[in-house]
Amino acid sequence: MLRVDAEQCIGCGACEEQCAFGAIVVKDGCAVVGDSCTLCGSCVDVCEAEALHIEEGPGREAADLSAWQGIWVFAEFRHGQVAPVTYELLGVGRRLADQRGVPLSAVLPGSGVRGECDALIAAGADTVYLVDDPALVQYREDVYGRVLEELIRCYQPEVVLAGATAIGRSVIPQVATRLGAGLTADCTGLDIRPGDGTLLQTRPAFGGNIMATIECPDTRPQMATVRPKVMAPAEPDPDRSGEVVEVEIAPEHLSSRVEVLETVVSESEQVNIQEVEVLVAGGRGLEGEKGFALIRELAEELGGAVAASRAAVDAGWISYPHQVGQTGKTVCPKLYIACGISGAIQHAVGMQSAEVVVAINRDENAPIFNIATYGLVGDLFEVVPLLARKIQEMKK
Amino acid sequence: MELLVCIKQVPDAKDVRLDPRTNTLAREGVESIMNPFDRHALEEAVRLKEAHGGTVTALSMGPPQAEAVLREAIACGADRGVLVSDRAFAGADTWATSYTLARAIDTIGSFDLILCGKQAIDGDTAQVGPGLAARMNLPYVTCVQKTRDVVDGGIEVERMMDDGYDVVRLPLPALLTVVKDINEPRVPSLKGKMKARKADIPVLSAADIGAEEACIGLAGSPTRVVNVFSPEPRGDRKIFTGTAEEQVDQLIEHLRDFL
Ligand SMILES: Cc1cc2nc3c(=O)[nH]c(=O)nc-3n(C[C@H](O)[C@H](O)[C@H](O)COP(=O)(O)OP(=O)(O)OC[C@H]3O[C@@H](n4cnc5c(N)ncnc54)[C@H](O)[C@@H]3O)c2cc1C
Ligand SMILES: Nc1ncnc2c1ncn2[C@@H]1O[C@H](COP(=O)(O)O)[C@@H](O)[C@H]1O
């Protein structure tokens, strides 16, 4: 609860100014808190009269935090390979582990995955916890969740990182809930606070309009999912040595209520637009499938993949997994080329964290130019083929 | 089939910005809307009801004004709306939110299927659905792009993956989170709007749902937001001029690193 000390309050209105949610009004010279208060605390910080306090209820009991040690990375395995984000997690995990002076471990559940351990060690893991069982051949929420939960309870790592992929974002919240652990989704930055070793988790909120830093002061493990492609992958060192710990999971934890009847890998969706470095995206301006053929060519020249605005997906020119934006995917490639996309906010929130944004649009007032690094004003049917041709020439 | 949909009221994305000078959220004209993914969850529930009978309950946790999204849900085909609202819920993260929703659901009835949106667009966490399933010990599947069939006390769905989709069967009761592709939500009918206007929307407090103080609101939240700031602005921006060819040449000059 946010409490106002009426004796202290001087009615200056600084808190009313500050409150992003319009939850405070000054009435008769004293601040009054309304229902839209989210306890963000920003008013407390600006109050010079020190009249505002956030009162916490009984709260959770602080656990023995020192019992939890080490940094863990969930190694996601699907369709015969470890997801690339795993190596990015090992890269950042290594840095965090060294800062803390603790080991870095990878957890590898799957079936027939033993062969991957060496690569995980080469990428920085000191230990690989291997759970190799036929029951894990397909991803099923409940089984994967229980395996991770059991391992975490047993070995008590202080930090658990997973990729913010379809699987990571599905299984990790369940585990965090049962462990009573704090979980931050979709982090783009991770750091250790010197001193107490708290994990500082930075992530975009409100579609990237705001960045927030989040910590878990009283609970362990500190859990986070991390967006693919924002962290640099670890440089593999084949000479590194590490230990493989094979863990047996009790059979009752491996039974599932969920049955996977079929797995369909779609030809056009084999590239996950969240995991490529270059995206060429098309919108309504492409006018149809023919337009998409143009940007596909450009994407190929650049070694990238094709994405789209909702307008293009709704028109049926390309499938939904390619949609970028609020109701599609959030991407942050190194290079994003938007062709015939106006740059509506619902689209922008899905791509504005890209390192470099190029906009090609014939309307010089299109909002996409406000978020573009480089803007080309012109007809895309002229510009895109020209660009593809010149890049091809250059490569020769 | 007894269906329940979790619906969150969120600020409209286009309105939310930090004021670069003061580093506070600009609140001018921030409008609240129904979380877009929840609209698809609601539509799917209404379609399942139309096909298999039963009722649709819309549930929201939020401040008193969140009642608006529940009325909207009724206008779009829900049979009733329930609001859980209490000052003590303020500051809840996804852990405390899933706890509160689970307590509320236990209080209001028993359901064959619970539907959530894939994520809420204010926090984009996608954590409440799986968290709620964990608390209620329900089998669940996230990112459902299609419900295929309801047979023999189970439901068969397509779960969107990063590289295609899985066809998954799970027994009821269960929980699903849905993506936009699952359906095209209807617009409210006139009759629906009338019903929504007249509907009585019960409000449940922390005490009504028997929530433990240590598990709700800020006190029950393991995470703390310790800092908010604006993202780094993009470096120098350049809008090229000249003929198409001249512009392309300039771009290539700047993109050398990528080529
Ligand atoms: C709740 C909600 C959620 C949404 N979620 C998403 C989302 O996830 N992703 C998303 O993308 N959108 C989303 N939208 C839709 C969004 O508001 C826009 O409508 C959409 O992004 C527009 O797509 P567009 O830019 O391709 O089309 P338009 O806005 O029609 O823009 C087409 C652009 O192409 C340019 N153009 C046309 N012809 C040419 C040419 N020959 N050469 C060069 N330029 C040309 C035009 O100048 C124009 O700027 C959402 C909307 C709502 C309400
Ligand atoms: N306060 C809330 N009230 C009702 N449903 C919610 C609430 N918060 C989250 N949800 C549901 O959980 C989904 C995921 O939300 P989130 O984990 O916040 O991204 C939403 O799409 C809603 O269906």
Short mmCIF file of all heavy atoms in Angstrom, two decimals, chain B residues 25-51:
data_model
loop_
_atom_site.label_atom_id
_atom_site.label_comp_id
_atom_site.label_asym_id
_atom_site.label_seq_id
_atom_site.Cartn_x
_atom_site.Cartn_y
_atom_site.Cartn_z
N LEU B 25 6.67 8.15 -17.15
CA LEU B 25 5.71 7.76 -18.17
C LEU B 25 4.82 8.94 -18.51
O LEU B 25 4.26 9.57 -17.61
CB LEU B 25 4.84 6.61 -17.66
CG LEU B 25 5.50 5.24 -17.55
CD1 LEU B 25 4.64 4.33 -16.70
CD2 LEU B 25 5.69 4.66 -18.92
N ALA B 26 4.73 9.23 -19.81
CA ALA B 26 3.82 10.29 -20.21
C ALA B 26 2.41 9.73 -20.12
O ALA B 26 2.13 8.68 -20.69
CB ALA B 26 4.13 10.73 -21.62
N ARG B 27 1.53 10.36 -19.40
CA ARG B 27 0.24 9.73 -19.18
C ARG B 27 -0.89 10.40 -19.95
O ARG B 27 -2.02 9.93 -19.91
CB ARG B 27 -0.09 9.70 -17.70
CG ARG B 27 -0.34 11.04 -17.08
CD ARG B 27 -1.10 10.86 -15.76
NE ARG B 27 -1.55 12.11 -15.21
CZ ARG B 27 -0.88 12.82 -14.34
NH1 ARG B 27 0.31 12.42 -13.94
NH2 ARG B 27 -1.38 13.93 -13.88
N GLU B 28 -0.56 11.44 -20.68
CA GLU B 28 -1.60 12.16 -21.41
C GLU B 28 -2.40 11.22 -22.29
O GLU B 28 -1.84 10.50 -23.11
CB GLU B 28 -0.98 13.24 -22.30
CG GLU B 28 -1.53 14.61 -22.02
CD GLU B 28 -0.62 15.35 -21.05
OE1 GLU B 28 -0.53 14.94 -19.87
OE2 GLU B 28 -0.01 16.32 -21.49
N GLY B 29 -3.68 11.19 -22.07
CA GLY B 29 -4.58 10.45 -22.94
C GLY B 29 -4.26 8.97 -23.09
O GLY B 29 -4.49 8.41 -24.15
N VAL B 30 -3.70 8.34 -22.08
CA VAL B 30 -3.48 6.90 -22.18
C VAL B 30 -4.82 6.19 -22.09
O VAL B 30 -5.49 6.24 -21.07
CB VAL B 30 -2.53 6.39 -21.08
CG1 VAL B 30 -2.37 4.88 -21.19
CG2 VAL B 30 -1.19 7.06 -21.19
N GLU B 31 -5.19 5.56 -23.19
CA GLU B 31 -6.48 4.86 -23.19
C GLU B 31 -6.29 3.41 -22.82
O GLU B 31 -5.26 2.82 -23.11
CB GLU B 31 -7.08 4.95 -24.58
CG GLU B 31 -8.04 6.11 -24.71
CD GLU B 31 -8.79 6.02 -26.01
OE1 GLU B 31 -9.47 5.00 -26.20
OE2 GLU B 31 -8.66 6.95 -26.81
N SER B 32 -7.30 2.83 -22.21
CA SER B 32 -7.22 1.42 -21.86
C SER B 32 -8.02 0.60 -22.85
O SER B 32 -9.10 1.00 -23.29
CB SER B 32 -7.78 1.20 -20.46
OG SER B 32 -6.93 1.83 -19.53
N ILE B 33 -7.48 -0.56 -23.20
CA ILE B 33 -8.17 -1.45 -24.13
C ILE B 33 -8.12 -2.88 -23.61
O ILE B 33 -7.39 -3.17 -22.68
CB ILE B 33 -7.50 -1.43 -25.54
CG1 ILE B 33 -6.01 -1.79 -25.43
CG2 ILE B 33 -7.66 -0.06 -26.19
CD1 ILE B 33 -5.35 -2.07 -26.77
N MET B 34 -8.92 -3.74 -24.23
CA MET B 34 -8.81 -5.16 -23.91
C MET B 34 -7.53 -5.68 -24.57
O MET B 34 -7.28 -5.40 -25.74
CB MET B 34 -10.03 -5.93 -24.46
CG MET B 34 -10.00 -7.41 -24.09
SD MET B 34 -11.28 -8.43 -24.91
CE MET B 34 -12.79 -7.74 -24.30
N ASN B 35 -6.72 -6.42 -23.80
CA ASN B 35 -5.49 -6.98 -24.36
C ASN B 35 -5.83 -7.73 -25.66
O ASN B 35 -6.68 -8.61 -25.65
CB ASN B 35 -4.87 -7.92 -23.33
CG ASN B 35 -3.58 -8.52 -23.83
OD1 ASN B 35 -2.78 -7.85 -24.47
ND2 ASN B 35 -3.40 -9.80 -23.57
N PRO B 36 -5.19 -7.37 -26.80
CA PRO B 36 -5.59 -7.94 -28.09
C PRO B 36 -5.61 -9.47 -28.13
O PRO B 36 -6.52 -10.05 -28.71
CB PRO B 36 -4.54 -7.40 -29.06
CG PRO B 36 -3.94 -6.22 -28.40
CD PRO B 36 -4.13 -6.37 -26.93
N PHE B 37 -4.64 -10.14 -27.51
CA PHE B 37 -4.64 -11.60 -27.54
C PHE B 37 -5.83 -12.17 -26.78
O PHE B 37 -6.35 -13.24 -27.12
CB PHE B 37 -3.34 -12.15 -26.93
CG PHE B 37 -2.13 -11.93 -27.79
CD1 PHE B 37 -1.27 -10.88 -27.54
CD2 PHE B 37 -1.86 -12.77 -28.86
CE1 PHE B 37 -0.15 -10.67 -28.33
CE2 PHE B 37 -0.74 -12.57 -29.66
CZ PHE B 37 0.12 -11.51 -29.39
N ASP B 38 -6.27 -11.47 -25.73
CA ASP B 38 -7.38 -11.97 -24.92
C ASP B 38 -8.68 -11.94 -25.71
O ASP B 38 -9.59 -12.72 -25.48
CB ASP B 38 -7.51 -11.15 -23.63
CG ASP B 38 -6.23 -11.19 -22.81
OD1 ASP B 38 -5.32 -11.94 -23.18
OD2 ASP B 38 -6.15 -10.46 -21.81
N ARG B 39 -8.75 -11.02 -26.65
CA ARG B 39 -9.92 -10.93 -27.52
C ARG B 39 -10.04 -12.23 -28.34
O ARG B 39 -11.13 -12.75 -28.57
CB ARG B 39 -9.73 -9.72 -28.45
CG ARG B 39 -10.94 -9.27 -29.18
CD ARG B 39 -10.62 -8.02 -29.99
NE ARG B 39 -10.55 -6.82 -29.16
CZ ARG B 39 -11.62 -6.23 -28.64
NH1 ARG B 39 -12.81 -6.71 -28.86
NH2 ARG B 39 -11.49 -5.16 -27.89
N HIS B 40 -8.89 -12.75 -28.77
CA HIS B 40 -8.91 -14.01 -29.52
C HIS B 40 -9.24 -15.19 -28.61
O HIS B 40 -9.91 -16.13 -29.02
CB HIS B 40 -7.55 -14.23 -30.21
CG HIS B 40 -7.25 -13.21 -31.28
ND1 HIS B 40 -7.73 -13.32 -32.56
CD2 HIS B 40 -6.56 -12.05 -31.23
CE1 HIS B 40 -7.33 -12.27 -33.27
NE2 HIS B 40 -6.62 -11.48 -32.48
N ALA B 41 -8.76 -15.14 -27.37
CA ALA B 41 -9.09 -16.19 -26.40
C ALA B 41 -10.59 -16.21 -26.15
O ALA B 41 -11.23 -17.27 -26.13
CB ALA B 41 -8.33 -15.97 -25.09
N LEU B 42 -11.15 -15.02 -26.01
CA LEU B 42 -12.59 -14.90 -25.78
C LEU B 42 -13.38 -15.44 -26.97
O LEU B 42 -14.32 -16.23 -26.81
CB LEU B 42 -12.94 -13.42 -25.53
CG LEU B 42 -14.42 -13.08 -25.47
CD1 LEU B 42 -15.06 -13.72 -24.25
CD2 LEU B 42 -14.61 -11.56 -25.43
N GLU B 43 -12.99 -15.05 -28.16
CA GLU B 43 -13.69 -15.51 -29.36
C GLU B 43 -13.66 -17.04 -29.44
O GLU B 43 -14.66 -17.68 -29.74
CB GLU B 43 -13.03 -14.90 -30.61
CG GLU B 43 -13.59 -15.39 -31.93
CD GLU B 43 -15.05 -14.98 -32.17
OE1 GLU B 43 -15.45 -13.92 -31.64
OE2 GLU B 43 -15.77 -15.72 -32.85
N GLU B 44 -12.49 -17.63 -29.12
CA GLU B 44 -12.38 -19.09 -29.20
C GLU B 44 -13.32 -19.73 -28.18
O GLU B 44 -13.98 -20.74 -28.48
CB GLU B 44 -10.93 -19.51 -28.94
CG GLU B 44 -10.58 -20.89 -29.45
CD GLU B 44 -10.78 -21.06 -30.96
OE1 GLU B 44 -10.80 -20.06 -31.70
OE2 GLU B 44 -10.92 -22.22 -31.39
N ALA B 45 -13.40 -19.15 -26.99
CA ALA B 45 -14.29 -19.69 -25.96
C ALA B 45 -15.74 -19.62 -26.43
O ALA B 45 -16.51 -20.58 -26.29
CB ALA B 45 -14.11 -18.92 -24.65
N VAL B 46 -16.11 -18.50 -27.02
CA VAL B 46 -17.50 -18.34 -27.47
C VAL B 46 -17.81 -19.34 -28.58
O VAL B 46 -18.87 -19.96 -28.62
CB VAL B 46 -17.76 -16.88 -27.92
CG1 VAL B 46 -19.14 -16.75 -28.54
CG2 VAL B 46 -17.60 -15.92 -26.75
N ARG B 47 -16.84 -19.56 -29.48
CA ARG B 47 -17.06 -20.55 -30.55
C ARG B 47 -17.20 -21.96 -29.98
O ARG B 47 -18.03 -22.74 -30.44
CB ARG B 47 -15.89 -20.53 -31.54
CG ARG B 47 -15.92 -19.28 -32.39
CD ARG B 47 -14.84 -19.29 -33.44
NE ARG B 47 -14.76 -17.96 -34.04
CZ ARG B 47 -14.09 -17.68 -35.14
NH1 ARG B 47 -13.43 -18.63 -35.77
NH2 ARG B 47 -14.08 -16.46 -35.61
N LEU B 48 -16.38 -22.30 -28.99
CA LEU B 48 -16.48 -23.63 -28.38
C LEU B 48 -17.82 -23.80 -27.69
O LEU B 48 -18.44 -24.86 -27.75
CB LEU B 48 -15.33 -23.85 -27.39
CG LEU B 48 -13.96 -24.08 -28.03
CD1 LEU B 48 -12.84 -23.99 -27.00
CD2 LEU B 48 -13.92 -25.45 -28.73
N LYS B 49 -18.28 -22.73 -27.06
CA LYS B 49 -19.59 -22.79 -26.42
C LYS B 49 -20.68 -23.00 -27.47
O LYS B 49 -21.58 -23.83 -27.30
CB LYS B 49 -19.86 -21.50 -25.65
CG LYS B 49 -21.28 -21.39 -25.11
CD LYS B 49 -21.54 -20.06 -24.46
CE LYS B 49 -22.37 -19.18 -25.37
NZ LYS B 49 -22.88 -17.98 -24.69
N GLU B 50 -20.57 -22.28 -28.57
CA GLU B 50 -21.59 -22.41 -29.61
C GLU B 50 -21.61 -23.83 -30.18
O GLU B 50 -22.65 -24.36 -30.55
CB GLU B 50 -21.34 -21.38 -30.72
CG GLU B 50 -21.76 -19.98 -30.28
CD GLU B 50 -21.20 -18.87 -31.18
OE1 GLU B 50 -20.40 -19.16 -32.10
OE2 GLU B 50 -21.57 -17.70 -30.94
N ALA B 51 -20.43 -24.46 -30.25
CA ALA B 51 -20.36 -25.81 -30.81
C ALA B 51 -20.73 -26.90 -29.80
O ALA B 51 -21.29 -27.92 -30.16
CB ALA B 51 -18.94 -26.06 -31.34
#
